[in-house]
Amino acid sequence: MIAEKLNTIKSNLPQNVTLIAVSKTKPEEDIMEAYRAGHRDFGENKVQEMTAKYENLPKDIRWHMIGHVQRNKVKYMAPFVHMIHGVDSLKLLKEIEKQAKKQDRVINCLLQIHIAREESKFGLDEEELKELLASEAFSQMKYVHIKGLMGMATFTDKQEVVQSEFSYLKQLFESLKKDQESWPHLSMEVLSMGMSGDYELAVECGSTMVRIGSSIFGERNYQ
Ligand SMILES: *Cc1c(COP(=O)(O)O)cnc(C)c1O
């Protein structure tokens, strides 16, 4: 079942779009089913859960941290995490830099931008983004590499709302891309937007990375 759903979604995505299979709350045997079907990119939103799965599962899995990250948890994933999608403050980025340096490895990060109308979603606004990029601390970082942007649209049936939020993020992505030579450790390659309910629209709007959970693994049970 999982492998079939995965392959159906993959075959409908353009070649330049990477699929992150979001396995949060799901057991390791579900991940292994996708793994045996050839999949390697998995997303989790809790550091502890991701670390436990990392320890038990094949080491060529690329682990994506897609959730909100607490600074005191960075050290646990620093040895292995492939990409941190939810970077939304300079403070967090500084901690990632520190822990990446300790591990002597570069950690790929995406800056999360607040695009939804809802208050609750995390992320930087455009002004905070510019401030972060202009800061002295950021200019001196060596162990973080900013690979692009991530955003989550408003949870709504109104397609035009979701579309305008995704299009806004795409524009921001393109404008930073034009400017990317200003920073040695920034390259706009990844635009992470789109989930089970809205990934087709996200891809139309220019997404290069979709994060899909329930459409692959089924509904989550949080009990
Ligand atoms: C859970 C989650 C997803 C996947 O959600 P689905 O609706 O199950 O596809 C994508 N992105 C983030 C940040 C998430 O927390």
Side-chain angles (χ1 to χ4, degrees):
M1 269 291 265
I2 290 171
E4 271 172 37
K5 287 180 179 165
L6 185 74
N7 288 330
T8 306
I9 292 172
K10 263 190 191 171
S11 65
N12 288 323
L13 289 173
Q15 279 208 327
N16 69 319
V17 177
T18 303
L19 170 61
I20 310 301
V22 176
S23 49
K24 61 189 185 197
T25 80
K26 297 294 177 183
E28 289 167 3
E29 68 234 39
D30 286 9
I31 297 176
M32 281 312 294
E33 194 176 334
Y35 181 89
R36 282 190 295 269
H39 202 70
R40 293 295 180 270
D41 289 279
F42 292 90
E44 292 282 337
N45 70 339
K46 295 212 162 64
V47 173
Q48 202 171 357
E49 185 178 343
M50 183 173 77
T51 304
K53 286 172 173 171
Y54 161 76
E55 278 164 8
N56 292 334
L57 294 171
K59 293 296 173 283
D60 59 343
I61 289 179
R62 293 183 288 269
W63 292 102
H64 295 253
M65 174 42 62
I66 62 170
H68 186 69
V69 177
Q70 288 172 297
R71 269 177 289 153
N72 61 356
K73 303 275 172 65
V74 172
K75 57 178 175 287
Y76 302 113
M77 63 176 163
F80 69 90
V81 66
H82 178 69
M83 186 174 274
I84 302 176
H85 290 228
V87 178
D88 62 355
S89 72
L90 182 60
K91 272 185 173 172
L92 175 58
L93 206 55
K94 280 181 181 169
E95 178 63 17
I96 298 170
E97 166 80 7
K98 181 177 150 190
Q99 298 300 336
K101 184 176 181 183
K102 269 191 193 165
Q103 300 294 330
D104 194 29
R105 67 188 290 259
V106 170
I107 296 182
N108 299 317
C109 296
L110 304 179
L111 295 174
Q112 183 172 359
I113 308 299
H114 181 99
I115 57 172
R117 292 183 179 178
E118 291 138 28
E119 279 290 320
S120 61
K121 301 238 161 102
F122 296 102
L124 301 156
D125 63 28
E126 213 172 315
E127 200 170 318
E128 291 165 334
L129 169 69
K130 303 236 150 103
E131 247 169 58
L132 185 156
L133 295 175
S135 68
E136 179 72 13
F138 178 65
S139 72
Q140 288 174 358
M141 288 183 184
K142 293 196 171 65
Y143 294 88
V144 295
H145 199 137
I146 304 294
K147 289 283 192 179
L149 303 179
M150 181 269 217
M152 289 171 85
T154 304
F155 188 70
T156 172
D157 289 336
K158 297 198 181 93
Q159 295 281 296
E160 67 278 11
V161 171
V162 176
Q163 172 157 25
S164 77
E165 292 168 355
F166 283 153
S167 301
Y168 165 75
L169 190 57
K170 166 71 171 171
Q171 262 180 16
L172 192 58
F173 177 81
E174 290 301 330
S175 76
L176 273 180
K177 193 173 186 162
K178 271 192 211 140
D179 233 18
Q180 65 184 6
E181 281 75 35
S182 314
W183 301 274
H185 50 317
L186 179 142
S187 52
M188 287 289 129
E189 295 163 28
V190 176
L191 182 53
S192 169
M193 57 185 197
M195 308 169 38
S196 291
D198 58 17
Y199 74 89
E200 281 153 324
L201 189 51
V203 168
E204 278 175 36
C205 295
S207 170
T208 71
M209 191 173 268
V210 292
R211 310 174 308 268
I212 299 180
S214 42
S215 291
I216 297 169
F217 297 108
E219 292 300 320
R220 285 176 294 274
N221 182 352
Y222 283 102
Q223 271 139 46

